[in-house]
Amino acid sequence: MPDLAIRTQALRKTYRTRRGKRVVAVQGLDLEVPIGGVHGFLGPNGSGKTTTIRMLLGLVRADAGTMTVFDQVVPDRLPDIVGRVGAIVESPKFFPAFSGRKNLELLADAIGAPRQRVGEVLAETSLNDRGKDKFKSYSLGMKQRLAIAATLLKEPDLLIFDEPTNGLDPAGIREIRETMRYLGQQGRTVLVSSHILAEVEQVADTVSIIGHGRLLASGTVAEVIGGSGKPTVKVALDTAAGEHAANQERATSILTSAGLSVRAEGKYLFVDGAEHSADVTRRLAQQELYVSELIPVRAGLESVFLELTADEGLGGQQ
Amino acid sequence: MIRLTGVELRRLIARRLTVIGVGGVLIITALLLFAVWRDAQPMSAAEQRQNQIYLEEAQKDWKLNGAQYQKDCEAQYQSQPDPKPSLKEFCPGPPTIDQFGKPEVVFAELMPDLLQGVSYLLVGIAFLVGASFVGAEFSSGAIGNWLTFEPRRMRVYGSKLLGGAIGFVPVAVVVVAFLTLGAFVIVDQLGNTASTTGKVWGDLNETSGRIVLMTAVGAALGGVVGVLLRHTAAAIGLVMGYLILIEGVFGSFLTKAQPWLVRLNFDAFIGHGATYWVQQCESSGGSYSCTSVEKHVSFEHGAWYLGITAVALVVLGALVFRRRDVN
Ligand SMILES: Nc1ncnc2c1ncn2[C@@H]1O[C@H](COP(=O)(O)OP(=O)(O)OP(=O)(O)O)[C@@H](O)[C@H]1O
Ligand SMILES: [Mg+2]
C-alpha cells in the first residue's frame, strides 16, 4: 500500500436541519489521497466535498467511519498533525475588522510561529502593500491570497483547498493553479476540491470523483479518462438540405459497421472510438459522403465526470 | 493554553468595541463623579435664606401644635414593627435648621451606593464586550479558520473566556479606583470624610474586590453566551429579554421569587447582603389586607447562587462547543 496523506473509510455524515429533516451529505466514502502532488477532489454541487473536508479538519463530527491524515487517526490525533496541514474551507474567513497582517499575527502567535514569518508569507502572496488594510476591504482574490498566506505560516505538508478559484477572474484562477502546481512539485500534497473539471484537470496528478457522498472513480487522471475509451469527434456532412437526413443515416450505418459508436444530434454526428479522426473522413469519402466540419471533442475528465455523475442529480438528497 | 490566552487578550484589546466599551465606562464614571460634586456643593446664599424662612415658619407652627405632634408621633411609635428605631430618631422634636436644605454628603454613606451603581455598569459592559468578542467569531466564520490552527476545542474555549475575563480585571480596577479616589477628594473638600474609619475602608475594599471579580465573570459569561448563540445581537437580545421579562416583570409580580433571581443575588454578593420587600396578604373575616415585609438575602446566598450559575453556564458552553459542528 502506498503512503497516503489522507485515507477515509466508510465515512458518513448526516446533517439534521432545523426543521428536523435529515440530509445525508456523505455516505460511506472511501477516499485515498497519495502523498505528494495535486489530488483533485471532484463532485457536483452538494455531493459532500466540503463536508468531507470539514470532517477531516475536525470542524464537523463524522457519524461513522474512520479517517487518517498522515497515518494519524483524526480528529483524535489532529493536534499532532495540525501543524502539517493548511486548509482553506469554502471562502476564506478572517476577523473582518482587523488588517490582513493583524489576522496573520494572531494566527502566528497562536501556533507559536515567529512573527517574521508574517512578513514573509505576505510577501510570498504579494500582499505586503495591502497588509495594513482591513480584511473586509479586500477583494475576493486578495482574501484568497491571504488565506494561502495563512496556511503557509505553518509550512504545511498537506494543503487542502476547497473550491479555491470560486469567484476569481481568469488571472486569479491561473495564479492559484500555478501556486497549487508549485506546491505539488515541491513534494507537498495538495487536495483541491472543485465542481469544475477544467480547473483541476490541468494541475491534478490524481483525482477522486464523488457523487451523493460516495466515491465514483479514482486514480491518475489518465486512468480515470482511460476508462471511457478513445476520443470523440463531432462531424457535419457536406450535403444538400433535402438529403440531410438520408445521408446522416447512411453515414451512421457506415461508421457503425466499422465498429465505431455514433449518435446524431442536430446537424452533427458524434463518433466515439476512432483511433484517428482521419479514419472517419476516409471511410465516409469512400462512400462518397464528404465532411464539411470535423471537430475533435475534448475527451477529458469532463465527459467522464458528466457520465459518472449524470444520474446523481444535485446530489446530497436522500 | 497560556499562549492562546495571550493571543485572545491581544485580540480583545485590538477590537473596537472593547475600546468603545471601556471608554464609555470611563466617561460614565466621570459623570458619576460630576454628579457627586454637584450634590456636595454648599447651598447658595439664596437657598440658605429660603431655608431660614421655612425654618421660622415651622418653628411658629411647632409653638402652636408641637405638643400635639409629639403625642401623635409617640402613639404612632408604639405601633411600629420591631426592631424599632429609637424614640429620639422617630420623633425628633422641635424643627432644627439641618432638617431643611441638603444633608451633608458623607463619604462612608455615599460609597456603597456609588459602587453598586458602577458594578452594574462594569458587569454589563464586560458581558456585552465578552459576548461580542466570541459571538462575532461565529457570525463571521473566523472560528472555523481558527480551529484549523488550534483544533483542541477546550483550549480554544478556555482561552477565549479567560482572555475576556483577564482583560477586564484592570478595567474594573481602574474604574473602581478612579471612582473611589475621585469621590474621596470631592467629599473631602465639600462634605464629610471624617467618619471613614479603617473598618469602612476595609468594607469598601472588599466590595471593590467583589466588583472586580464579578466584572471578570461577566466578561467570561458573555463569552459563554456568545458561544451558545453564535451572534452578538442574539446574545444581547437574550440578556435584555431576560432582564426585562424575568427579572423585571416576573420579579415584580412574584416578589417571593426574588431570592432566586440574578439581580438580588448580585446585590447581596456585591453589597454583602441585600434586602427586598415581599407583599404579604391575609384575609381574615372578609377583609383582605396586604403589608410589605422586608426580607433579607445573605451574602453567602448570593455568592453560592452566582457561583453555581456561573459554573453551570461555563460547563454548558463547554459541552455545546465541544461537540458542535462549525461552519
Ligand atoms: N450545515 C449544514 N446543515 C444541513 N445540511 C448541510 C449543511 N452543510 C451541508 N449540508 C448539505 O450536505 C450536502 C453536502 O454539502 P457539501 O457542502 O458538503 O457539498 P459540496 O460538495 O461541498 O458542494 P459545493 O460544490 O456546492 O460546495 C448538501 O446537500 C448540503 O445541503
Ligand atoms: Mg463545497
Side-chain angles (χ1 to χ4, degrees):
Chain A
M1 192 180 73
D3 283 336
L4 293 176
I6 296 174
R7 178 190 178 92
T8 75
Q9 282 173 308
L11 190 62
R12 292 185 64 87
K13 174 71 187 180
T14 306
Y15 286 110
R16 230 163 280 189
T17 58
R18 288 232 170 86
R19 295 219 197 101
K21 225 181 78 186
R22 285 154 174 265
V23 180
V24 180
V26 174
Q27 40 187 332
L29 179 65
D30 304 309
L31 182 70
E32 293 189 351
V33 178
I35 286 180
V38 180
H39 186 87
F41 185 33
L42 303 167
N45 289 132
S47 55
K49 304 180 294 291
T50 303
T51 303
T52 304
I53 289 172
R54 287 214 164 100
M55 285 191 281
L56 284 166
L57 295 168
L59 298 176
V60 161
R61 186 171 286 263
D63 296 328
T66 55
M67 298 177 276
T68 57
V69 173
F70 293 126
D71 290 332
Q72 301 291 325
V73 173
V74 292
D76 295 358
R77 304 295 296 277
L78 208 46
D80 298 340
I81 44 116
V82 75
R84 297 172 65 192
V85 180
I88 308 172
V89 186
E90 287 189 330
S91 54
K93 282 167 188 145
F94 291 89
F95 297 113
F98 288 167
S99 69
R101 175 177 281 278
K102 180 89 196 168
N103 267 297
L104 292 188
E105 282 174 358
L106 290 171
L107 288 169
D109 291 352
I111 59 169
R115 276 281 179 100
Q116 95 217 23
R117 276 298 290 159
V118 171
E120 287 167 17
V121 298
L122 280 174
E124 270 176 67
T125 48
S126 344
L127 276 174
N128 18 11
D129 43 332
R130 294 295 302 271
K132 289 218 166 64
D133 297 346
K134 284 187 179 177
F135 174 71
K136 65 181 168 196
S137 75
Y138 283 10
S139 72
L140 202 54
M142 290 164 63
K143 288 180 178 171
Q144 205 67 257
R145 294 216 297 276
L146 186 73
I148 292 178
T151 64
L152 296 178
L153 286 172
K154 307 193 202 183
E155 313 198 20
D157 298 321
L158 168 64
L159 288 121
I160 299 178
F161 296 135
D162 188 15
E163 318 242 359
T165 54
N166 249 358
L168 296 189
D169 62 12
I173 292 176
R174 189 160 149 186
E175 209 175 293
I176 299 267
R177 195 182 289 152
E178 264 151 29
T179 308
M180 291 192 292
R181 187 179 284 139
Y182 167 75
L183 291 167
Q185 282 164 358
Q186 281 186 324
R188 308 192 201 215
T189 309
V190 179
L191 176 72
V192 51
S193 90
S194 181
H195 60 271
I196 303 168
L197 263 297
E199 191 177 292
V200 166
E201 191 177 359
Q202 298 179 31
V203 286
D205 303 305
T206 50
V207 291
S208 294
I209 299 181
I210 70 165
H212 255 328
R214 281 201 198 89
L215 188 70
L216 300 178
S218 77
T220 63
V221 174
E223 279 166 6
V224 172
I225 294 174
S228 97
K230 311 232 164 58
T232 302
V233 288
K234 190 163 107 174
V235 180
L237 296 173
D238 184 19
T239 165
E243 298 164 27
H244 179 74
N247 281 339
Q248 266 205 350
E249 224 159 88
R250 262 183 68 210
T252 305
S253 68
I254 293 165
L255 295 169
T256 316
S257 60
L260 308 176
S261 83
V262 183
R263 128 185 91 87
E265 220 180 280
K267 72 169 199 165
Y268 291 109
L269 293 173
F270 286 82
V271 186
D272 283 334
E275 201 72 58
H276 304 287
S277 38
D279 277 354
V280 176
T281 336
R282 190 166 39 79
R283 283 180 200 280
L284 292 177
Q286 281 167 358
Q287 305 292 328
E288 297 190 348
L289 284 168
Y290 299 99
V291 168
S292 65
E293 278 178 67
L294 185 140
I295 307 156
V297 175
R298 226 169 56 88
L301 227 35
E302 186 123 19
S303 51
V304 181
F305 180 64
L306 290 175
E307 238 170 70
L308 284 172
T309 59
D311 49 12
E312 295 292 328
L314 283 175
Q317 264 59 273
Q318 270 233 296
Chain B
M1 181 83 178
I2 293 172
R3 185 168 67 200
L4 272 185
T5 307
V7 176
E8 295 294 350
L9 204 49
R10 236 163 291 151
R11 184 168 75 82
L12 177 72
I13 294 166
R15 297 192 80 226
R16 202 172 51 180
L17 189 67
T18 311
V19 176
I20 294 174
V22 172
V25 171
L26 286 173
I27 290 172
I28 294 175
T29 310
L31 289 176
L32 273 177
L33 285 175
F34 178 70
V36 169
W37 178 78
R38 284 271 312 260
D39 244 29
Q41 286 298 309
M43 282 181 290
S44 67
E47 280 172 324
Q48 280 175 8
R49 267 198 307 281
Q50 188 60 48
N51 282 331
Q52 192 59 39
I53 294 167
Y54 289 148
L55 176 67
E56 279 157 18
E57 275 173 15
Q59 280 169 340
K60 255 185 249 161
D61 184 43
W62 184 267
K63 263 188 198 124
L64 290 175
N65 308 315
Q68 184 62 38
Y69 288 159
Q70 188 67 23
K71 238 175 72 190
D72 290 352
C73 181
E74 278 166 21
Q76 219 180 358
Y77 177 75
Q78 294 309 320
S79 63
Q80 279 299 296
D82 286 316
K84 292 186 176 110
S86 75
L87 184 61
K88 188 83 193 103
E89 267 176 317
F90 196 73
C91 306
T96 56
I97 184 70
D98 45 292
Q99 286 165 355
F100 295 85
K102 292 190 208 168
E104 188 182 41
V105 176
V106 179
F107 182 72
E109 289 166 8
L110 170 75
M111 266 332 274
D113 290 347
L114 271 187
L115 284 178
Q116 186 171 50
V118 92
S119 72
Y120 295 147
L121 179 68
L122 273 170
V123 174
I125 295 287
F127 184 92
L128 177 100
V129 172
S132 149
F133 179 58
V134 178
E137 277 191 278
F138 282 90
S139 49
S140 71
I143 185 78
N145 188 40
W146 193 254
L147 288 173
T148 66
F149 282 74
E150 177 48 89
R152 286 167 287 204
R153 295 222 182 162
M154 286 304 96
R155 290 190 184 204
V156 169
Y157 179 69
S159 66
K160 289 185 189 306
L161 301 196
L162 265 182
I166 293 172
F168 267 91
V169 166
V171 175
V173 169
V174 166
V175 166
V176 168
F178 175 46
L179 185 70
T180 309
L181 290 180
F184 188 83
V185 168
I186 292 167
V187 177
D188 199 39
Q189 297 287 316
L190 304 171
N192 175 353
T193 55
S195 59
T196 321
T197 58
K199 160 111 177 50
V200 171
W201 279 119
D203 287 350
L204 288 179
N205 280 339
E206 276 174 25
T207 303
S208 304
R210 291 194 292 266
I211 291 174
V212 173
L213 177 68
M214 281 315 291
T215 306
V217 170
L221 292 186
V224 172
V225 175
V227 166
L228 292 176
L229 299 185
R230 290 180 274 188
H231 219 285
T232 315
I236 294 168
L238 177 92
V239 169
M240 289 300 216
Y242 172 80
L243 285 181
I244 293 171
L245 288 178
I246 306 293
E247 299 276 330
V249 177
F250 180 72
S252 60
F253 277 114
L254 199 70
T255 49
K256 281 201 192 78
Q258 286 183 81
W260 304 107
L261 296 181
V262 173
R263 167 84 194 274
L264 189 66
N265 284 290
F266 182 81
D267 287 351
F269 180 69
I270 297 289
H272 211 283
T275 53
Y276 64 104
W277 297 86
V278 174
Q279 291 280 334
Q280 273 186 349
C281 300
E282 49 192 53
S283 54
S284 55
S287 76
Y288 188 75
S289 66
C290 290
T291 44
S292 280
V293 180
E294 194 185 75
K295 299 238 172 176
H296 188 76
V297 169
S298 72
F299 167 73
E300 286 74 19
H301 185 284
W304 277 108
Y305 177 96
L306 294 179
I308 290 171
T309 309
V311 169
L313 275 173
V314 169
V315 169
L316 177 67
L319 291 177
V320 169
F321 185 53
R322 199 185 153 81
R323 298 194 57 96
R324 179 156 64 199
D325 291 350
V326 171
N327 282 316

